[in-house]
Amino acid sequence: MPVDNEQTAQVAGGTGTARPGTRRPGGRTARTRAAVRDAVVAGLTEHGYSGLTVEYVAEHSGVHKTTLYRRWGGVDGLVADTLDLAGEDGWAPPDTGSLDGDLRALALEVVHSFADPAAAAPSSAVIAAAFQSEPAAQALRAYYAERFARCEVIVDRAVARGELPGPRSAVDGGALVRAVAAPLFFRLFITREGLDEPDADHAVAVALAAAHAGTFTKET
Amino acid sequence: MPVDNEQTAQVAGGTGTARPGTRRPGGRTARTRAAVRDAVVAGLTEHGYSGLTVEYVAEHSGVHKTTLYRRWGGVDGLVADTLDLAGEDGWAPPDTGSLDGDLRALALEVVHSFADPAAAAPSSAVIAAAFQSEPAAQALRAYYAERFARCEVIVDRAVARGELPGPRSAVDGGALVRAVAAPLFFRLFITREGLDEPDADHAVAVALAAAHAGTFTKET
């Protein structure tokens, strides 16, 4: 689930290529915010949440410590804003022409974004930060809620194409795309079993079988 | 997935009631190991992995620091052994007489074990520790591999009862029980959406629908 900045893309699992035509808000404030975000990501990667300090962010962003405290409040606010900023991107879910293709592309994006330990480090660091910081946990929740809301179009298109039964409103698209992602993150961060392309295929197969059986049909 | 000690049970999601007839190995070494484990769990809960020190464990277990270093090597060894010990319990998966009942009971065990923040804290702390410590990650991987291996009997029994198609060896029981657990842990620790009993029902419904569609049938 990539965004338009390579560093931010890596937060929470992006692959990081800018999409042409993506709006890049400019201006000094936006540049400052991006510099601060890059420093937060670097700090989380290098030291983890518990080792991240406002001093580190000041040193690596070139933004004065008093400015950081005034605008972000402290480490928790900095981490939360990094995720907020990661959510303000032009990322759109895959559009391959079929439900199976879209879900596979989405699952493979997760697999590939975590395949390189260096690229995966910031994402892991933010997920880890949420264990110790309630603001980080809230920001993570908001980030994924928004990200999965974007993915619901995959399911809308599938219903429109007749690939899934029922009216568009009857299928819980958010639950379906979460069902694809869950086993991948589970292997990565809970059972620590590692993740490879066959895992993506299997996650899609399970979610699709359940979808065709009507398991994601909302009660009305 | 409970074990015979309430503190350990809470590591990695147990509900913590001793099963009658569970063997309790005695002796001074076992008591020392249990005291050390309790102190590690308390320390992880209180301070997180990055705040856990051998000094803390010594103080709270009554075991001398030099003994801790000699037998466990340091913090990483202490955390890993806590998980190893959590795996050496008498826990067995639910046996309700049906696949649906067993999987529901298993899923509800996860939901309930994480419903109380205080009870869930040690489990969360160990999962969080794995982000910062490779030995903790390895121990977590071994813990869950062993735990899910125990759960495969649920699927064996279902095949024997004719609830799932194919010979027993053809169904990947480990993948099926992981599919039930994954969405629960995903909500808890990745999307931070919270977890309730309907989530358990839904996870079971998805996994069962996929199982009946043959998605967990191994290639031979």
Side-chain angles (χ1 to χ4, degrees), chain B residues 19-39:
Chain B
R19 293 168 59 247
T22 301
R23 190 172 58 89
R24 290 190 80 100
R28 200 164 68 88
T29 306
R31 280 199 305 276
T32 298
R33 195 175 170 209
V36 167
R37 177 263 329 268
D38 290 348

Side-chain angles (χ1 to χ4, degrees), chain B residues 17-201:
Chain B
T17 39
R19 293 168 59 247
T22 301
R23 190 172 58 89
R24 290 190 80 100
R28 200 164 68 88
T29 306
R31 280 199 305 276
T32 298
R33 195 175 170 209
V36 167
R37 177 263 329 268
D38 290 348
V40 170
V41 167
L44 283 175
T45 306
E46 199 174 336
H47 299 297
Y49 174 77
S50 43
L52 185 68
T53 60
V54 174
E55 286 70 18
Y56 179 99
V57 176
E59 193 184 321
H60 287 77
S61 66
V63 177
H64 201 276
K65 216 170 73 169
T66 53
T67 307
L68 293 176
Y69 276 113
R70 194 178 64 242
R71 286 188 46 193
W72 282 277
V75 164
D76 277 342
L78 286 164
V79 172
D81 191 51
T82 294
L83 264 173
D84 287 347
L85 192 56
E88 296 169 15
D89 63 356
W91 184 83
D95 186 5
T96 65
S98 75
L99 178 59
D100 180 64
D102 287 358
L103 294 179
R104 271 181 52 86
L106 190 68
L108 287 174
E109 231 180 81
V110 174
V111 171
H112 295 152
S113 70
F114 285 106
D116 172 11
S123 317
S124 308
V126 173
I127 294 169
F131 282 83
Q132 294 176 269
S133 155
E134 183 49 35
Q138 282 173 21
L140 204 60
R141 180 160 55 244
Y143 174 84
Y144 280 116
E146 198 275 335
R147 194 96 337 194
F148 284 116
R150 284 193 218 183
C151 292
E152 291 182 24
V153 69
I154 289 176
V155 179
D156 289 345
R157 288 189 305 238
V159 175
R161 282 189 299 256
E163 290 184 84
L164 286 174
R168 195 173 301 195
S169 61
V171 180
D172 189 341
L176 176 48
V177 292
R178 275 171 178 79
V180 171
L184 310 179
F185 283 86
F186 183 65
R187 290 183 66 91
L188 280 168
F189 297 116
I190 308 298
T191 63
R192 299 271 169 189
E193 294 171 287
L195 189 60
D196 217 330
E197 294 192 359
D199 302 311
D201 292 340

